[in-house]
Amino acid sequence: MRRSRKQLALAGVLSAFIGAVAAVAFAGSATDLTGVPSANTRSAGYAPASVLSPELAQIVVAQGSYPLDGGTAAVPYYGYLGGAPMVPALGSNVEAKKTEPDKNTYLVFKDGLTGADPAYNYGTHFLFQGHEGGSPGTITRINLDADAAHRVTLLATKDADGNNLATIDGSTWDAWSKLLLLTTESASAPTYAATPGYPSTVTDVSGSLGRGGYEGIQNDSTGNVWIVEDIGGSAPAGTNARRPNSFIYRFVPEHPSDLSKGKLQVLQVFAADGHPITTSSQAAVGASDLAALHVYGSSFDTRWATIHNTASDGTVPFNANTLAKAANGTPFKRPENGVFRPDGKFKQFFFDETGDTNATSTENGCCGGWGSIYKLTQKSPTADSGTLSIFYNGDGTHAAFDNVSFFDKDHIAFVEDAGATLHQQRNGLDNAWMFDVTKDYSNPANQPVRFIAEGRDPSATIDAGLVGTPGFNNEDDNEITGIHVSNGDPSKNGILGAKHPHPWKGHGPDRWRVFYTQQHGDNPTYEVLRIK
């Protein structure tokens, strides 16, 4: 398709601006960011701006009020469903349901992709999201080279069988099947595979990958799919602690390009005396197995146990969480996301626990209540065994870890999802933290660097005042989600973990880029730039 002069001019201005900023930032890295001194405070009616390290800036690439290319009356905007105002009238709590764009996946397609307007050239640089709120669930694509009218395309609200999509949390690009994989954080909802073009064809792949509280999802170098589950556990009587109830999975396809056949496995962790650490062995408050998993310097043997095989068990969708418990898999406190260290070897997998998100949890001090970060080490991504160790134990300042991305081979960012309760208890909003994986964080002298102190936009501040009123159905405080560093390479060599990231260095269309979404409120998605 031939682009108009106006389209070419717009794309040129955008590319020149971002490229110029990147060129100025050629010498920058993740290792020399100045820390933001403190979190933004939370109080009624207070809408502070986000504060970034002084070396960084951010620009909006899309926000909730952007009209959708190919939108419908039910889903007209990037961050809002139809049928109600974006902001409630004075004295009212009625506003549109917010769709909450979640995890980002950045891809570059040299031949471009189609959109709702057959006469428009949508460019080559794209950012994909599933949406966590509203019904139907939605999949969108930010067309980073496009003008405002074509900036965000609605790819799908239904699957290939005509069913409304469930709400979506995680996403990744499977380079073998050439499909987006999307998770729904529900054992009753499908796991999806979707084509990247318009309209997207969305299929249910939970007859092989299963259904669970899936959130994080990631390929390894052999085409296996690693899945991180987030299902909150029950609370022991009289406590604000939560029992571990979420598992780490690995799907091993018979053939990497075919997601319909293969084995789903669950991670088992073994105590020093050889017994598996299970749901029952961590059920008591402060259980010894639970506490042991959070001791610096300890190491635990691991093994992958097959819980479902399409060759023998068929392809009817199944509840992976139930099968994981029956197979004595090891549950964790809401391990929401994980990623491989980008050394090309896929031997180290870092994943987090969000924890109990409550400052009064009895397990904050001993057992991961504040949230934690683990390192799983194997000889190869296909190995059946390995070792697990604690990399970082959270505390009242560093807590409730959620999305994650490596910025270079040694520096990994985790962002918080503390929620309104912990925000109030800490009198502080969420943060983004940069960790150095070569450091020993059992030493109090070593501390991660806060590079974003998230603010709260006016819409989220209004929502915070309306939460709890009858009929109000939106979230309140903003949340950092979808932190993502990628050069957009859709080939097998471009999967996260295959190459050392180099954000902010160099310029041009194939540079590494950094994105995140400020969920809730106005729901903006940002690109983070290095400015000095």
Side-chain angles (χ1 to χ4, degrees), residues 75 125 192 225 242 299 414 465 486 509 515:
V75 189
H125 299 80
Y192 294 120
V225 180
R242 293 284 177 175
S299 180
F414 284 89
S486 172
F515 301 95

Side-chain angles (χ1 to χ4, degrees), residues 105-451:
T105 296
Y106 174 58
L107 294 168
V108 178
F109 291 99
K110 298 296 186 183
D111 295 328
L113 293 171
T114 57
D117 183 349
Y120 189 80
N121 186 320
Y122 287 83
T124 57
H125 299 80
F126 306 97
L127 193 66
F128 297 82
Q129 306 82 25
H131 290 241
E132 191 177 10
S135 180
T138 56
I139 303 171
T140 55
R141 187 188 73 210
I142 300 174
N143 309 305
L144 294 163
D145 302 326
D147 61 20
H150 301 88
R151 199 22 125 61
V152 188
T153 297
L154 177 62
L155 293 182
T157 61
K158 295 182 181 293
D159 67 16
D161 295 322
N163 302 306
N164 282 347
L165 296 182
T167 54
I168 293 166
D169 284 85
S171 68
T172 196
W173 173 250
D174 184 283
W176 286 263
S177 64
K178 295 181 173 31
L179 295 169
L180 293 159
L181 301 182
L182 304 118
T183 58
T184 59
E185 202 176 1
S186 171
S188 62
T191 303
Y192 294 120
T195 57
Y198 174 88
S200 177
T201 300
V202 184
T203 55
D204 180 350
V205 292
S206 49
S208 50
L209 276 72
R211 298 180 176 184
Y214 296 170
E215 182 159 349
I217 188 164
Q218 161 87 44
N219 280 107
D220 66 28
S221 56
T222 67
N224 296 333
V225 180
W226 294 50
I227 303 170
V228 179
E229 185 175 46
D230 171 22
I231 297 181
S234 59
T239 78
N240 284 317
R242 293 284 177 175
R243 293 185 174 97
N245 192 44
S246 306
F247 299 88
I248 307 297
Y249 302 93
R250 182 176 70 179
F251 176 68
V252 182
E254 288 186 13
H255 304 286
S257 61
D258 182 1
L259 296 169
S260 68
K261 299 175 183 179
K263 299 182 292 185
L264 185 69
Q265 302 174 321
V266 68
L267 185 70
Q268 289 181 305
V269 182
F270 295 89
D273 65 1
H275 75 265
I277 298 175
T278 64
T279 299
S280 59
S281 77
Q282 299 183 84
V285 176
S288 59
D289 277 355
L290 179 58
L293 285 172
H294 295 88
V295 174
Y296 282 117
S298 58
S299 180
F300 300 86
D301 291 335
T302 64
R303 184 182 68 189
W304 291 100
T306 297
I307 59 175
H308 187 274
N309 188 339
T310 57
S312 55
D313 301 318
T315 57
V316 175
F318 59 93
N319 186 319
N321 187 273
T322 300
L323 295 183
K325 290 174 180 173
N328 287 329
T330 298
F332 298 87
K333 281 181 179 279
R334 296 180 58 200
E336 297 202 30
N337 281 279
V339 67
F340 287 97
R341 187 176 183 181
D343 58 6
K345 299 177 182 178
F346 292 83
K347 292 183 176 182
Q348 295 180 355
F349 185 72
F350 287 78
F351 66 92
D352 59 30
E353 290 181 308
T354 299
D356 296 331
T357 60
N358 194 307
T360 66
S361 169
T362 53
E363 293 183 337
N364 282 342
C366 68
C367 306
W370 287 121
S372 331
I373 302 169
Y374 286 101
K375 180 175 71 173
L376 175 63
T377 304
Q378 300 184 166
K379 291 182 179 180
S380 74
T382 60
D384 290 327
S385 61
T387 57
L388 182 77
S389 58
I390 193 76
F391 170 70
Y392 185 80
N393 278 316
D395 54 35
T397 301
H398 319 83
F401 306 117
D402 191 336
N403 281 198
V404 54
S405 190
F406 268 95
F407 275 60
D408 60 29
K409 68 182 181 66
D410 293 330
H411 289 83
I412 186 171
F414 284 89
V415 300
E416 295 180 340
D417 177 13
T421 296
L422 189 52
H423 290 169
Q424 292 169 347
Q425 293 169 333
R426 298 194 303 180
N427 190 27
L429 300 172
D430 288 338
N431 305 281
W433 299 101
M434 191 73 72
F435 293 84
D436 184 338
V437 299
T438 67
K439 287 186 176 180
D440 175 10
Y441 285 99
S442 67
N443 182 350
N446 292 327
Q447 294 293 325
V449 174
R450 180 192 284 112
F451 67 98

